[in-house]
């Protein structure tokens, strides 16, 4: 189990996800480190390193979602030491994507790393991808092998 201060930030992260899938990145951005080593790696593009790129990436990603809601979060693993911790979760939500007008279910495998900075826990890395079930080896090459 995570220490209470870190678990509180994780809960804030989950509430911020609910705002994010409605198109609002601001609550999530508040939880992130402003240091040069902060990283966002989301399903919409390559990893973004540094606060300015990470913030822009979150803002751009949030524009893909509308009218969403979190439907569940499954904790897979967690660990924390005195100044560093992580969680691995599957986030489930539904939202209208892009120009679509239907709510669609989405599941993301997410690794989040937290660091204590000046006495407060901050997110320093978030990696999210849509891989939540087993896949064949050929899935990593983007096309069928001969």
């Amino acid at each position: 189990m995570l220490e209470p201060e870190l678990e509180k930030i994780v809960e804030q992260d989950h509430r911020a996800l609910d705002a994010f899938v409605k198109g609002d990145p601001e609550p999530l951005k508040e939880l992130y480190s402003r240091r040069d080593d902060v990283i966002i790696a989301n399903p919409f593009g390559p990893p973004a390193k540094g606060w300015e790129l990470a913030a822009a990436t979150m803002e751009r990603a949030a524009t893909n979602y509308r009218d969403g809601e979190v439907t569940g979060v499954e904790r897979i693993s967690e660990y924390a030491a005195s100044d560093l911790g992580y969680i691995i979760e599957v986030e489930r939500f539904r939202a209208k994507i892009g120009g679509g007008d239907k709510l669609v279910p989405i599941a993301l495998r997410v690794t989040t790393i937290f660091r204590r900075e000046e006495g407060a826990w901050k997110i320093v890395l978030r990696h999210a991808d849509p891989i939540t079930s087993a896949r064949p080896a050929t899935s990593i090459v983007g096309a069928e092998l001969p």
Side-chain angles (χ1 to χ4, degrees):
M1 184 157 183
L2 300 177
E3 70 167 71
E5 277 183 58
L6 181 52
E7 192 61 54
K8 181 179 175 186
I9 297 301
V10 171
E11 290 169 13
Q12 289 176 335
D13 181 40
H14 293 162
R15 285 192 303 274
L17 174 63
D18 198 59
F20 195 85
V21 300
K22 289 174 175 62
D24 181 5
E26 296 307 318
L28 191 60
K29 287 169 52 181
E30 289 299 316
L31 302 176
Y32 277 77
S33 172
R34 299 305 195 262
R35 295 185 182 171
D36 291 340
D37 61 350
V38 66
I39 296 175
I40 303 292
N42 69 27
F44 301 113
K49 184 176 180 184
W51 172 243
E52 288 184 24
L53 289 176
T57 296
M58 283 186 266
E59 290 165 5
R60 187 173 53 255
T63 67
N64 292 303
Y65 300 116
R66 294 183 335 282
D67 303 328
E69 67 178 349
V70 174
T71 58
V73 177
E74 175 189 355
R75 181 86 44 95
I76 306 300
S77 181
E78 65 186 26
Y79 175 79
S82 61
D83 292 331
L84 198 64
Y86 75 84
I87 55 173
I88 299 172
E89 297 177 321
V90 174
E91 297 174 345
R92 298 182 193 284
F93 54 94
R94 58 187 186 166
K96 293 177 183 175
I97 303 296
D101 61 353
K102 289 180 139 183
L103 288 171
V104 295
I106 299 161
L108 296 176
R109 172 181 66 174
V110 180
T111 300
T112 308
I113 299 177
F114 302 86
R115 176 174 58 210
R116 194 184 310 264
E117 296 179 357
E118 299 173 16
W121 287 100
K122 295 290 183 179
I123 297 171
V124 294
L125 177 136
R126 175 181 164 90
H127 173 259
D129 64 49
I131 302 172
T132 59
S133 61
R135 293 179 162 192
T138 56
S139 70
I140 67 170
V141 295
E144 292 297 316
L145 295 175

